[in-house]
Amino acid sequence: MVRVDLSGAKQFFKGSGPDFELARQAHETLASGTGAGSDFTGWMAFPRYMKEHELDRIVAAAETIRSRSKALVVIGIGGSYLGARGAIELLRPIPAKEDPQIFFVGNGLSADYLCDTLDRLGDADFDVNVISKSGTTLEPAVAFRIFREKLAQKYGADADKHIFATTDAARGVLKGLANENGWESFVIPDDIGGRFSVLTAVGLLPMAVAGIDVRKVIDCAIEEMEALDLRSPENPAWQYAAARQHLYRSGYGVEILGCYEPSFRFMAEWWKQLYGESEGKDGIGIFPASVEFTADLHSMGQYIQEGARIIYESIVRFDRSLRSYAIPFEQANADGLNYVAGRNMSEVSSIAADAVKEAHISGGVPNIQINVPRRDEAGFAALVCFFEMACGISGYISGVNPFNQPGVEAYKKNMFRMLGKPGAV
Amino acid sequence: MVRVDLSGAKQFFKGSGPDFELARQAHETLASGTGAGSDFTGWMAFPRYMKEHELDRIVAAAETIRSRSKALVVIGIGGSYLGARGAIELLRPIPAKEDPQIFFVGNGLSADYLCDTLDRLGDADFDVNVISKSGTTLEPAVAFRIFREKLAQKYGADADKHIFATTDAARGVLKGLANENGWESFVIPDDIGGRFSVLTAVGLLPMAVAGIDVRKVIDCAIEEMEALDLRSPENPAWQYAAARQHLYRSGYGVEILGCYEPSFRFMAEWWKQLYGESEGKDGIGIFPASVEFTADLHSMGQYIQEGARIIYESIVRFDRSLRSYAIPFEQANADGLNYVAGRNMSEVSSIAADAVKEAHISGGVPNIQINVPRRDEAGFAALVCFFEMACGISGYISGVNPFNQPGVEAYKKNMFRMLGKPGAV
């Protein structure tokens, strides 16, 4: 499990601090399936189901793709995009020589980005993983048309063997096409919303193709979900959820998620969707933002230290780096750096993180620290399960339905009308 | 010049709306050099100076590097990092075959990121551009030690020819080392702060190595800075500055900068530093955040549409895409997409942007639109000059010194003490 350290937030708590009774009630509502949106809480029990059902087939499909292709084109948007990208950039920031490149498309409408991706793909052998519950979301549907055409040009009658569809178990346009054309398909469960789907085939197939040990991810997730069912203020999900809701009600309307590893960038994007989409409704919600330290100490650092006191920070820290590098000694010492010579960069980074924490607290920024053992499969599973559990609990504490996203339809409705889609009004 | 469209913000303006008299006064303070921090306003006149002084030498150095190396390692943090990265990702999101790869290091303390970068660099020929006013900032200084060692191992006595130092004209550790070792060096002017330095050698040398036409950038910047001196509410910098300060005082404390081109991601990071560091002080300041559309409509879209009404959005739109792609027609039309078949993706993207604007305004989010002709050297120069001018004006309207960053020292002071740096307290 991750460990939450609230010591840097305590001095900012009002009254008796975070209300763990609210966390207990919210957890009970979540676990008993009695709250708003309870039809979408399947993600808690899902890792165990995954292990017993699709996992072998996902690993086999990934092996097929890895053995024959230099690239996997992943088509998806929102929850069908950010989780896999977050995981892959975190755990495989640089593809090994034997790993296919993963290209993410269908997550926007930029012609330039599409054409550039086609250039990068070149004439490499590739497979396509199209991820969409319905098959009719505009961005991925457009990309899928384009890449089906490319597959047909390249592989002719064999093109269908290069398509893997992650979609509804039974209904929808994409499932229909998959059945009709014999594409291997994987399931987006009915009771798991997009932003909670990274541990379903949605995330796992691209991750496995990228060389991530998804069996290990799922084994760890099973343990994590179980551990996070703990009904006690010792539960890190309770601590995070209760603390952030307490800070929100004390006037801290913006949460900054930070990490000292640049590879965390897209995990932060995944986290923004998880929390922003779950809690930003009914005119309320903590605004989720992110920073990359120490880089952004030299950009957003000034604001964090001395700007409007509406922010708190949640900092993800890995206990150990994967690799080590000792700072070289220089006889001349012209740069005056010999005081850190011989020390491992990780040690220096960790001291910097402590220094930043102290500075930001002094500046009036509450600090929540989230400690994770390692930037590996287990650490990833721990982070995902922790943030998902805490999100459900935090959403119920705030009084919203954390599992719907009614606001996402507004632009689509306008867009379909303006594009002249048949039947759109 | 960019064109600012405030039509999507008007209905949210209180009273008589943005006060252009405040913008006029702030512009006068900026131009006359009578305001706080006026020692750091050299960036307005600098493009012309650059053209007549360093530009030829920058282009020549870039040609040398391009002709002999497969990679340029750029060492810098904050303003010595984000501008070049923003420009290169915007204008050269994918390096052409003949372009060296640009690696950015020294912008953090992650051992994993450093080691991964060394792996990626492999045994390719490379040059180093170290960018630091003083030469003693910890992150770049550590990276520079490491890469100097690598250069010495690879090139022996010729290593010094592979180092280009962008630093103070006369003082500081790095300038001293450059003189001593005969490194070619370029100037970080005394009257230009880091976040305003992208059009100095700080940004231009890496950009030129990446294949960007920096002569064109500077020619356009000269014109832009002149045009932006316009003292009138027609000035787009007045419009943006006055509107955002008006919105801030009406309770909109968070600005979301968005763009429909994924290649804009690091320009948004540059913008966050520019505005966050200039305005986030004295306990006030608009909190700068960013999104990438349409991707983030499926993540942050819910919050934007229905969350806490503390946000407004500023959307950068390019009038034309560089490339075009017509959406394929499919006889079967199983996905129902034929209503967009044959249409260019750029057209669809533009309609989507209109639809999003309408939806967000209906949801209670003021919209500022910033139109730029093209995603090219001229468009980049226009954006940079516009955002810099507007930042100076906006900062003076808000009452702060937009050109200092006293808060950045707090964590450094702690860090040096904890690391046991000689003399640190």
Side-chain angles (χ1 to χ4, degrees):
Chain A
M1 278 210 290
V2 309
R3 291 147 9 248
V4 169
D5 176 356
L6 297 178
S7 63
K10 277 199 178 121
Q11 68 184 90
F12 302 94
F13 292 152
K14 302 281 195 307
S16 52
D19 188 342
F20 288 107
E21 174 54 21
L22 291 178
R24 196 196 58 72
Q25 288 168 17
H27 195 160
E28 182 57 31
T29 302
L30 182 65
S32 62
T34 52
S38 61
D39 287 352
F40 293 92
T41 53
W43 45 272
M44 281 180 287
F46 192 77
R48 189 172 294 279
Y49 181 89
M50 167 53 72
K51 183 170 183 174
E52 289 158 12
H53 290 81
E54 272 186 342
L55 191 57
D56 289 341
R57 205 155 55 80
I58 288 172
V59 171
E63 277 314 311
T64 300
I65 295 167
R66 287 173 62 86
S67 66
R68 72 182 177 200
S69 284
K70 289 283 176 209
L72 175 68
V73 175
V74 179
I75 300 174
I77 194 167
S80 299
Y81 156 55
L82 289 171
R85 184 158 179 190
I88 292 168
E89 297 206 358
L90 183 73
L91 300 178
R92 292 293 180 279
I94 300 168
K97 273 216 175 58
E98 68 275 16
D99 291 335
Q101 268 204 285
I102 311 292
F103 293 106
F104 292 96
V105 301
N107 54 62
L109 291 167
S110 164
D112 290 352
Y113 177 79
L114 173 75
C115 294
D116 285 353
T117 305
L118 288 168
D119 285 353
R120 289 173 70 195
L121 183 58
D123 59 359
D125 278 303
F126 72 103
D127 284 271
V128 167
N129 179 202
V130 55
I131 308 172
S132 176
K133 185 81 172 157
S134 64
T136 57
T137 301
L138 185 69
E139 294 89 338
V142 165
F144 189 41
R145 266 206 182 186
I146 291 167
F147 281 92
R148 277 184 76 187
E149 198 175 63
K150 298 287 164 202
L151 282 173
Q153 287 161 4
K154 191 172 176 76
Y155 297 110
D158 279 344
D160 286 325
K161 293 181 189 153
H162 286 261
I163 299 176
F164 298 82
T166 304
T167 186
D168 193 272
R171 295 173 304 272
V173 163
L174 183 55
K175 182 60 185 172
L177 281 168
N179 287 344
E180 204 175 301
N181 297 288
W183 304 333
E184 177 154 16
S185 60
F186 299 94
V187 175
I188 306 179
D190 279 337
D191 57 355
I192 301 181
R195 60 188 175 275
F196 287 87
S197 73
V198 64
L199 298 179
T200 72
V202 168
L204 295 177
L205 180 56
M207 286 163 64
V209 174
I212 294 169
D213 183 346
V214 295
R215 290 190 195 280
K216 191 160 183 191
V217 169
I218 288 297
D219 281 340
C220 294
I222 290 168
E223 278 178 40
E224 291 292 334
M225 284 297 186
E226 216 160 89
L228 287 161
D229 196 42
L230 179 69
R231 309 299 169 93
S232 148
E234 301 293 302
N235 186 331
W238 285 29
Q239 293 170 4
Y240 180 56
R244 61 198 296 284
Q245 287 298 330
H246 179 75
L247 289 167
Y248 182 54
R249 275 166 298 173
S250 307
Y252 298 96
V254 176
E255 176 172 358
I256 302 176
L257 188 74
C259 185
Y260 286 80
E261 292 297 334
S263 56
F264 193 78
R265 178 173 291 274
F266 267 85
M267 282 299 292
E269 295 299 321
W270 168 83
W271 170 87
K272 282 186 205 169
Q273 176 180 12
L274 184 62
Y275 281 80
E277 196 162 273
S278 298
E279 298 186 333
K281 52 194 65 159
D282 307 343
I284 63 167
I286 299 163
F287 182 86
S290 63
V291 289
E292 175 194 317
F293 289 157
T294 62
D296 289 344
L297 295 169
H298 294 249
S299 61
M300 287 296 292
Q302 167 64 36
Y303 190 106
I304 297 171
Q305 194 69 43
E306 300 186 339
R309 303 297 75 182
I310 57 169
I311 53 176
Y312 66 95
E313 63 181 16
S314 298
I315 305 297
V316 173
R317 287 177 67 169
F318 295 96
D319 295 342
R320 292 181 299 282
S321 65
L322 298 179
R323 309 179 67 172
S324 67
Y325 202 102
I327 297 167
F329 176 81
E330 262 183 25
Q331 191 60 46
N333 198 28
D335 55 11
L337 271 191
N338 276 351
Y339 72 99
V340 288
R343 288 157 92 168
N344 200 294
M345 276 187 68
S346 307
E347 182 204 336
V348 176
S349 178
S350 177
I351 291 170
D354 291 338
V356 170
K357 181 174 174 175
E358 188 183 297
H360 289 178
I361 293 168
S362 307
V365 177
N367 175 290
I368 297 174
Q369 192 170 298
I370 299 163
N371 298 294
V372 192
R374 278 169 77 90
R375 190 168 60 82
D376 58 8
E377 276 82 351
F380 168 77
L383 274 169
V384 166
C385 294
F386 162 73
F387 276 130
E388 289 183 352
M389 279 299 286
C391 184
I393 294 168
S394 178
Y396 279 141
I397 294 177
S398 84
V400 301
N401 173 353
F403 303 111
N404 68 359
Q405 53 284 331
V408 177
E409 298 308 311
Y411 96 90
K412 291 189 197 171
K413 203 179 156 202
N414 291 344
M415 181 172 71
F416 289 141
R417 185 191 75 238
M418 292 181 186
L419 285 171
K421 181 178 179 177
V425 287
Chain B
M1 277 208 291
V2 308
R3 290 146 12 247
V4 168
D5 176 356
L6 298 179
S7 63
K10 276 197 177 121
Q11 68 184 92
F12 302 95
F13 291 152
K14 301 281 195 309
S16 51
D19 188 341
F20 289 107
E21 174 54 22
L22 291 178
R24 195 195 60 72
Q25 289 168 18
H27 195 161
E28 183 56 32
T29 303
L30 182 66
S32 62
T34 52
S38 62
D39 287 352
F40 292 92
T41 53
W43 46 272
M44 282 179 286
F46 192 77
R48 189 173 295 280
Y49 182 89
M50 167 52 71
K51 183 170 183 171
E52 289 158 13
H53 290 80
E54 272 186 343
L55 191 56
D56 289 341
R57 204 155 55 80
I58 288 172
V59 171
E63 277 315 311
T64 301
I65 296 167
R66 286 173 63 86
S67 66
R68 71 182 177 199
S69 284
K70 289 283 175 206
L72 175 69
V73 174
V74 178
I75 299 172
I77 194 167
S80 299
Y81 156 54
L82 289 170
R85 184 158 180 189
I88 291 168
E89 296 208 357
L90 183 73
L91 300 177
R92 293 291 179 279
I94 301 169
K97 275 217 173 59
E98 68 274 17
D99 291 334
Q101 268 203 286
I102 312 291
F103 293 106
F104 293 96
V105 301
N107 54 62
L109 291 167
S110 163
D112 290 351
Y113 177 80
L114 172 76
C115 293
D116 285 352
T117 304
L118 287 168
D119 286 352
R120 289 172 71 195
L121 183 60
D123 60 0
D125 278 303
F126 71 103
D127 284 271
V128 166
N129 180 202
V130 56
I131 309 171
S132 176
K133 185 82 173 155
S134 65
T136 57
T137 302
L138 184 69
E139 294 89 339
V142 165
F144 189 40
R145 265 206 182 187
I146 291 167
F147 281 91
R148 277 184 77 187
E149 198 176 63
K150 297 288 163 200
L151 282 173
Q153 286 160 6
K154 190 172 177 75
Y155 296 109
D158 280 344
D160 287 324
K161 294 182 191 154
H162 286 262
I163 298 176
F164 298 82
T166 304
T167 186
D168 193 273
R171 295 174 304 274
V173 164
L174 183 55
K175 182 61 186 172
L177 282 168
N179 287 345
E180 203 174 302
N181 297 287
W183 304 333
E184 176 153 17
S185 59
F186 299 95
V187 175
I188 305 179
D190 279 337
D191 57 355
I192 301 181
R195 60 187 175 276
F196 287 86
S197 73
V198 64
L199 299 179
T200 72
V202 168
L204 294 176
L205 179 57
M207 286 163 64
V209 174
I212 293 169
D213 183 348
V214 296
R215 290 190 195 280
K216 190 158 185 195
V217 169
I218 287 298
D219 281 340
C220 293
I222 291 168
E223 278 178 41
E224 291 292 336
M225 284 296 187
E226 218 159 88
L228 286 161
D229 196 42
L230 179 69
R231 310 299 168 95
S232 148
E234 301 293 302
N235 186 331
W238 286 30
Q239 293 169 3
Y240 180 56
R244 61 197 296 284
Q245 287 298 331
H246 179 75
L247 289 168
Y248 182 54
R249 275 167 297 173
S250 306
Y252 298 96
V254 176
E255 177 172 358
I256 302 177
L257 188 74
C259 185
Y260 286 79
E261 293 297 335
S263 56
F264 192 78
R265 178 173 293 274
F266 267 85
M267 283 299 292
E269 297 299 322
W270 168 83
W271 169 88
K272 281 185 206 169
Q273 176 180 11
L274 184 62
Y275 280 81
E277 196 162 274
S278 297
E279 298 186 334
K281 51 194 66 159
D282 306 343
I284 62 167
I286 299 164
F287 182 86
S290 63
V291 288
E292 175 194 317
F293 288 159
T294 62
D296 289 344
L297 295 169
H298 294 249
S299 61
M300 287 295 292
Q302 166 64 36
Y303 190 106
I304 297 171
Q305 194 69 44
E306 300 186 337
R309 302 298 74 182
I310 56 170
I311 53 175
Y312 66 95
E313 62 181 15
S314 299
I315 305 297
V316 173
R317 287 177 67 169
F318 295 96
D319 295 341
R320 292 182 301 282
S321 65
L322 298 179
R323 308 178 68 172
S324 67
Y325 203 101
I327 296 168
F329 176 80
E330 261 183 25
Q331 192 59 47
N333 199 28
D335 54 11
L337 272 191
N338 276 351
Y339 72 98
V340 288
R343 287 157 91 168
N344 201 294
M345 276 187 67
S346 308
E347 182 204 335
V348 176
S349 178
S350 177
I351 291 171
D354 291 338
V356 170
K357 181 175 175 175
E358 188 183 298
H360 289 177
I361 293 168
S362 307
V365 177
N367 175 290
I368 297 174
Q369 192 170 297
I370 299 163
N371 298 292
V372 193
R374 278 169 77 90
R375 189 167 60 81
D376 58 9
E377 276 82 353
F380 168 77
L383 274 169
V384 166
C385 295
F386 162 73
F387 277 131
E388 290 183 352
M389 279 298 286
C391 185
I393 294 169
S394 179
Y396 279 141
I397 293 177
S398 83
V400 301
N401 173 352
F403 303 111
N404 68 359
Q405 53 285 331
V408 178
E409 298 309 311
Y411 96 89
K412 291 188 197 170
K413 201 177 158 205
N414 290 345
M415 180 173 70
F416 289 141
R417 185 191 75 239
M418 291 181 186
L419 284 171
K421 182 178 179 176
V425 287

